[in-house]
Amino acid sequence: MINSTERLPDGSSFEFWEKENHWVRELYVDALSPEASDDNDGSREAPFRTIQAAADIATPGTLVHICPGIYRECVRPAMGGTDPEHMIAYEATEPGKVIIKASEVAKDFEKTTDWQLFGHQVPMAERKDVSVWCHRLDPDLFRGYNPFCAVNIIHDRLFIEFDKTDMTPYLNRRGMIFCDGKPLKQVPLSNDLGSEEGTYWVESNGMTVHFRLPGDEDPADHLIEISCREQCFAPEKPFLSYIKVKGLTCSHATMGAPIPQRGSISANRGHHWVIEDCTVDWSNATGIDIGNECWHHNHYPDQIIGYSVIRRCKVLDAGVCGIAGPFATHILIEDNLIEGTGWQKMELSWEAAGLKFHNTVDSLFRRNVFRRTYRADHLWL
């Protein structure tokens, strides 16, 4: 008898493909070890300092052990596995304690002096002293991609109902600023800073930001993080498959609004991925993507799209879409918590949902929990 939680609509059973892996090679990454160096061999005694160093040499049948620490990088696997028994896995040695951040720490601040901080509608008598700070972005942190130069809306605008929606979030810059792990709110003009604490504004060239902390506090007394990378874990080459990601926390990724759907963790059109026990928090738009990214790509006759597993993950505070997969078939999405999706308020772009999938045939969704979904759907198939 078919287990009722594994039954598909036609009465057949979902086909599970995962198999036990027997690793032929193991690599170690430990950013906090005094012995760590990317010039090492990646052994337990001589670990790499960055995850990317391991990702550059991992071959099918390799298990990458990642020790606790904060890794400020975007991991770009060079290879995928070959089959269910010969995957490449990236696993935290202590789940939840390996944190990949798409942001860098900002330390140099000066008071904002040259910009108006109140609009003309605020009477002079009501303009109190406020503390607004300026930070000039380091160009070396933004080579190839500067989210503070780019607005959220990308190339596909076909479905946006311009006459029905506030375009402000679409035209905001993608870059985010965090104070002690909490995001500041972006405002469109410098003269909005005087009216609201916990806000930031970006100058036109995208190289200088101005912000006001809650309580008008001094940023020198807080951890200020500036997002600078689009994703946290994503192959640069498409179609890499049979990859497993386990126990990682990925934060502060600053991709644009879908479509295309480019997640903080992204399969980049690869198939047979397993993403489990991961946390993805504060993505500007998309948390995880496992599909064909968008409908503008060519669809090749022999291309497999889907066959991936997302299990026991927490996808928290994704701006537009928690987990996405256009044209992904035969997928397993189980035991996940998707919370806080949709804070960008872009529901009329038709990509806003906790889970958003197209062509989801032969797929199984079970025991997923949705909370605090803002102006978006929990589940959209």
Side-chain angles (χ1 to χ4, degrees):
M1 180 179 295
I2 300 174
N3 185 318
S4 61
T5 66
E6 300 174 3
R7 190 187 304 275
L8 298 178
D10 65 357
S12 63
S13 179
F14 180 80
E15 182 181 347
F16 298 90
W17 58 266
E18 295 171 88
K19 295 184 179 180
E20 183 178 358
N21 279 262
H22 301 283
W23 306 111
V24 299
R25 185 185 191 187
E26 297 185 41
L27 299 172
Y28 291 83
V29 181
D30 188 352
L32 299 180
S33 169
E35 308 300 325
S37 169
D38 286 350
D39 294 326
N40 286 342
D41 61 8
S43 63
R44 188 191 299 267
E45 297 75 23
F48 292 125
R49 184 180 62 83
T50 68
I51 304 170
Q52 186 60 51
D56 286 339
I57 64 171
T59 53
T62 299
L63 170 59
V64 179
H65 300 275
I66 309 172
C67 296
I70 295 177
Y71 296 82
R72 296 189 186 272
E73 57 181 303
C74 178
V75 182
R76 303 286 195 190
M79 292 186 65
T82 54
D83 56 62
E85 294 177 309
H86 300 88
M87 301 183 73
I88 298 178
Y90 298 83
E91 295 191 10
T93 58
E94 297 183 46
K97 295 186 178 181
V98 173
I99 304 171
I100 303 175
K101 288 193 174 184
S103 61
E104 297 288 341
V105 176
K107 295 181 179 180
D108 299 321
F109 315 104
E110 58 189 72
K111 280 292 187 72
T112 294
T113 57
D114 292 337
W115 295 94
Q116 296 179 8
L117 303 180
F118 292 92
H120 61 82
Q121 73 277 10
V122 180
M124 294 297 296
E126 297 180 12
R127 300 184 185 187
K128 63 178 182 178
D129 289 335
V130 298
S131 183
V132 176
W133 297 85
C134 167
H135 175 72
R136 304 183 193 283
L137 303 178
D138 180 357
D140 288 336
L141 296 179
F142 296 90
R143 293 186 180 276
Y145 184 74
N146 182 351
F148 291 94
C149 276
V151 297
N152 279 319
I153 193 170
I154 313 183
H155 64 269
D156 195 321
R157 309 165 193 182
L158 177 63
F159 296 102
I160 295 177
E161 300 184 51
F162 294 94
D163 59 335
K164 296 181 180 180
T165 189
D166 176 10
M167 292 302 298
T168 301
Y170 298 90
L171 298 176
N172 276 343
R173 309 299 176 93
R174 301 177 195 176
M176 297 183 288
I177 301 177
F178 297 85
C179 176
D180 299 331
K182 296 181 179 180
L184 303 182
K185 174 186 175 182
Q186 186 173 168
V187 292
L189 296 172
S190 67
N191 58 27
D192 295 316
L193 294 167
S195 301
E196 187 174 1
E197 299 176 0
T199 53
Y200 71 101
W201 169 70
V202 185
E203 288 192 21
S204 60
N205 66 356
M207 291 306 299
T208 304
V209 296
H210 301 260
F211 59 92
R212 180 184 175 194
L213 298 185
D216 284 314
E217 295 189 0
D218 189 330
D221 299 328
H222 298 272
L223 173 64
I224 306 299
E225 295 170 290
I226 306 286
S227 61
C228 58
R229 286 176 286 276
E230 183 185 23
Q231 297 169 294
C232 289
F233 191 104
E236 192 165 14
K237 297 186 295 185
F239 309 124
L240 299 188
S241 302
Y242 295 105
I243 291 176
K244 184 175 184 178
V245 183
K246 183 178 176 67
L248 308 184
T249 294
C250 294
S251 304
H252 303 173
T254 52
M255 68 295 294
I259 198 124
Q261 294 165 329
R262 293 171 63 82
S264 180
I265 299 177
S266 172
N268 194 5
R269 307 170 71 192
H271 56 82
H272 288 88
W273 278 54
V274 177
I275 303 169
E276 62 183 16
D277 300 314
C278 291
T279 297
V280 179
D281 61 3
W282 289 116
S283 295
N284 187 56
T286 306
I288 301 174
D289 78 86
I290 55 171
N292 203 38
E293 191 178 69
C294 71
W295 40 76
H296 302 291
H297 284 305
N298 289 327
H299 187 182
Y300 303 101
D302 60 346
Q303 183 183 357
I304 299 173
I305 305 175
Y307 284 82
S308 290
V309 177
I310 301 178
R311 175 186 295 126
R312 298 188 304 273
C313 291
K314 296 179 181 179
V315 182
L316 310 176
D317 299 301
V320 182
C321 186
I323 303 175
F327 310 109
T329 67
H330 202 110
I331 54 178
L332 174 59
I333 311 294
E334 62 179 359
D335 300 305
N336 301 287
L337 170 64
I338 301 96
E339 183 171 356
T341 308
W343 54 265
Q344 289 277 20
K345 300 178 182 178
M346 295 185 184
E347 74 272 28
L348 293 186
S349 66
W350 306 114
E351 294 302 318
L355 300 180
K356 172 70 188 291
F357 292 93
H358 295 236
N359 196 32
T360 36
V361 299
D362 298 326
S363 296
L364 181 60
F365 299 77
R366 59 183 180 179
R367 300 186 301 270
N368 298 290
V369 176
F370 303 86
R371 295 176 181 161
R372 294 191 300 108
T373 303
Y374 303 104
R375 292 172 66 172
D377 295 299
H378 288 319
L379 174 62
W380 186 346
L381 305 179

